């Protein structure tokens, strides 16, 4: 057998590179100041002079954000993907906190999308629900919390490998536990109830230029924003709560996104598939093979866009899904709705302006 120790440079993954990026950048009227040099970019560089990366903070920004967070523990520098995951999780947690301010929220992120989301009356309870959605994928994740991390939560965090923890506060007992993991990066953000103040624009570079868009805001805030489009029974309160919860998760999941869950936890997450039916199959498989303590039966499914055919609804019906939240817009909407009625599924259309025919779609790329 070949001794792989002679074939790899383990230090390549841990070494920080000199990034050589400017101290200041501008976009329109906004000035961005370099806040933090990162270990390296999306991948460790193979050759000198490559792979530099940094975090920039808008000079006029305030509120809870990763750009303005403080790193309070961790020997390793943060990496580019760590920051992407932390930001994705924080955006989701902030939105869920808006809708459910009396509950604690936890999102466990991997590769810019969730592998588990939970809400509970305790921080440890929310963490446990998020983790149990997919314990295997939670390994090496970024955990984001809306409340103070306590010792019970911290003990579970250090019981398996995590990259980064993000929260507005930590108890002294929790910090003592977290500091037992020297490579765990612990970030402290501003009070979760403070507003985010920045230019409200999301940008992405393209070859020769950049894309910019006004940041999407969800308007699916209450039961009134969920219109029943099937005949027969109406949704239960639990189904409405689950629709609100899982729709928000879908909005912050790479498309095509299909989420199975209850009012307090995700159960199966299908994401990033070019075909919606494959994301549906993926979500159902994860619910029945990875999730602990629940399965696909009696869950509510959220689809971030319309159904191009009835096949996803068929799979949902066979899996025991009780309700689906989605936007209309397909030439086969009627077929999908008829298929839902065949299985007794309540279909709820997203209505950002109740009484009008507008829908809310949730693509994320």
């Amino acid at each position: 057998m070949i001794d792989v120790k002679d074939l790899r440079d383990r230090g390549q993954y841990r070494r920080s590179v000199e990034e050589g990026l400017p101290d200041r950048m501008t976009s329109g009227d906004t000035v961005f100041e370099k806040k933090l040099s990162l270990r390296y970019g999306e991948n460790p560089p193979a050759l000198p002079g490559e792979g530099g990366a940094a975090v920039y903070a808008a000079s006029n920004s305030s509120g809870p954000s990763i750009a303005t967070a403080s790193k309070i523990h961790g020997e390793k520098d943060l990496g580019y993907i760590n920051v992407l995951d932390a930001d994705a999780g924080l955006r989701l947690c902030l939105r869920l906190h808006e809708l459910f301010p009396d509950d604690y929220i936890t999102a466990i992120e991997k590769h810019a999308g969730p592998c588990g989301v939970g809400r509970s009356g305790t921080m440890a309870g929310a963490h446990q629900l998020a983790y149990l959605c997919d314990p295997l994928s939670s390994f090496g994740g970024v955990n984001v919390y809306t409340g103070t991390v306590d010792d019970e939560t911290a003990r579970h965090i250090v019981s398996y490998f995590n990259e980064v923890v993000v929260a507005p506060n930590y108890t002294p007992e929790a910090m003592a536990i977290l500091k037992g993991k020297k490579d765990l990066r612990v970030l402290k953000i501003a009070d979760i109830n403070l507003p985010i103040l920045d230019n409200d624009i999301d940008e992405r570079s393209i070859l020769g230029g950049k894309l910019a868009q006004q940041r999407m805001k969800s308007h699916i805030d209450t039961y009134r924003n969920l219109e029943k489009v099937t005949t027969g029974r109406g949704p239960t309160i639990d189904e409405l709560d689950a629709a609100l919860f899982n729709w928000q998760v879908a909005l912050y999941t790479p498309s095509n996104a299909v989420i199975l869950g209850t009012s307090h936890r995700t159960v199966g997450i299908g994401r990033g598939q070019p075909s919606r039916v494959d994301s549906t199959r993926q979500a159902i498989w994860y619910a029945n093979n990875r999730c602990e303590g629940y399965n696909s039966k009696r869950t509510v499914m959220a689809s971030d866009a319309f159904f191009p055919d009835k096949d996803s609804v068929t799979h949902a019906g066979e899996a025991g899904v009780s309700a689906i939240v989605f936007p209309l817009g397909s030439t086969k909407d009627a077929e999908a709705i008829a298929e839902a009625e065949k299985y007794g599924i309540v279909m709820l259309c997203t209505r950002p302006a109740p009484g009008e025919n507008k829908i809310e779609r949730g693509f994320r790329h």
Side-chain angles (χ1 to χ4, degrees), residues 87-202:
D87 179 69
L90 181 57
R91 290 180 188 227
L92 171 56
C93 283
L94 288 172
R95 175 56 180 156
L96 287 174
H97 178 67
E98 283 184 323
L99 294 183
F100 307 103
D102 295 330
D103 284 334
Y104 294 97
I105 311 292
T106 299
I108 301 176
E109 296 281 320
K110 285 280 286 288
H111 299 291
C115 52
V117 185
R119 73 179 178 102
S120 173
T122 66
M123 196 74 267
H127 168 85
Q128 190 73 2
L129 290 175
Y131 173 78
L132 291 176
C133 177
D134 186 356
L136 182 61
S137 296
S138 295
F139 180 89
V142 172
N143 296 2
V144 184
Y145 304 93
T146 59
T148 298
V149 172
D150 56 17
D151 57 340
E152 183 180 356
T153 308
R155 278 193 294 271
H156 193 259
I157 291 171
V158 301
S159 70
Y160 65 103
F161 175 63
N162 286 285
E163 289 277 3
V164 181
V165 178
V166 181
N169 212 347
Y170 305 83
T171 66
E173 295 81 7
M175 279 306 305
I177 294 168
L178 297 176
K179 286 181 177 180
K181 295 285 187 178
K182 65 178 183 178
D183 284 342
L184 177 65
R185 275 65 53 87
V186 179
L187 303 184
K188 184 176 181 179
I189 55 173
D191 187 330
I192 207 80
N193 294 300
L194 293 174
I196 293 288
L197 299 178
D198 62 9
N199 63 7
D200 208 30
I201 294 174
D202 287 336

Side-chain angles (χ1 to χ4, degrees), residues 236-252:
T236 66
I237 294 298
D238 278 346
E239 286 172 335
L240 289 169
D241 282 341
L244 288 174
F245 178 80
N246 290 288
W247 175 251
Q248 300 306 322
V249 177
L251 292 182
Y252 293 91

Side-chain angles (χ1 to χ4, degrees), residues 245-266:
F245 178 80
N246 290 288
W247 175 251
Q248 300 306 322
V249 177
L251 292 182
Y252 293 91
T253 300
S255 299
N256 287 306
V258 173
I259 314 298
L260 268 61
T262 71
S263 59
H264 284 71
R265 64 183 294 186
T266 54

Side-chain angles (χ1 to χ4, degrees), residues 224 227 328 349-359:
R224 294 183 65 247
E227 180 186 354
L328 291 165
C349 176
T350 56
R351 292 297 193 200
E356 299 183 14
N357 287 335
K358 295 183 176 65
I359 54 87

